[in-house]
Amino acid sequence: QVQLVESGGREVQTGASLRLSCAHSVRSFSIYAMAWFRRTPGKEREYVGVIVWSNGSTHIADSLKGRFTISRDDAKNEMYLQMNNLKSEDTGVYYCAVGKGSMVPSGYPYWGQGTPVTVSS
């Protein structure tokens, strides 16, 4: 059974940094890709970025490049989303997912429950 648990979300001020974690129970050899998505107020679930498990390569959505990065720690079975220079429009619920590595939610059959991030001025 695949379990994904996000943590680290909280309220921060504009310009702050925050690191989200995704603890997973998936065996590494069975993972193709893990991704971060977010649901911001009034919008559909939005692609944030992905890490390909076999080689560790990452891709971040164009609008977030330069501020967000993805990494992982295999010893801890965790994936991370480092968010810098946060803006009010980053407010939302952040989800991690396991799947085929696409930029659309339908490419990921397994999801966590999400962790909320609020960026206030």
Side-chain angles (χ1 to χ4, degrees):
Q1 183 177 359
V2 175
Q3 289 187 321
L4 301 171
V5 180
E6 302 93 337
S7 63
R10 61 183 177 91
E11 182 172 1
V12 296
Q13 291 194 329
T14 302
S17 295
L18 196 60
R19 189 178 80 161
L20 305 182
S21 300
C22 173
H24 68 85
S25 65
V26 186
R27 294 182 178 183
S28 293
F29 63 81
S30 65
I31 300 173
Y32 181 79
M34 290 186 72
W36 287 98
F37 284 79
R38 68 183 184 182
R39 188 188 298 277
T40 56
K43 294 185 178 181
E44 297 294 322
R45 199 167 293 195
E46 173 190 16
Y47 169 78
V48 172
V50 66
I51 182 167
V52 177
W53 224 248
S54 60
N55 59 17
S57 63
T58 61
H59 178 268
I60 301 294
D62 287 345
S63 62
L64 302 175
K65 284 180 180 177
R67 296 196 300 124
F68 287 20
T69 57
I70 293 176
S71 62
R72 74 184 199 220
D73 185 330
D74 291 341
K76 296 182 178 180
N77 283 352
E78 292 186 343
M79 175 181 68
Y80 307 105
L81 178 66
Q82 177 67 43
M83 305 185 292
N84 298 326
N85 190 22
L86 283 162
K87 305 176 181 180
S88 58
E89 53 262 43
D90 296 319
T91 293
V93 180
Y94 286 71
Y95 302 88
C96 64
V98 174
K100 294 296 185 181
S102 71
M103 296 171 62
V104 296
S106 60
Y108 297 85
Y110 303 105
W111 291 82
Q113 293 301 306
T115 186
V117 173
T118 301
V119 184
S120 57
S121 57

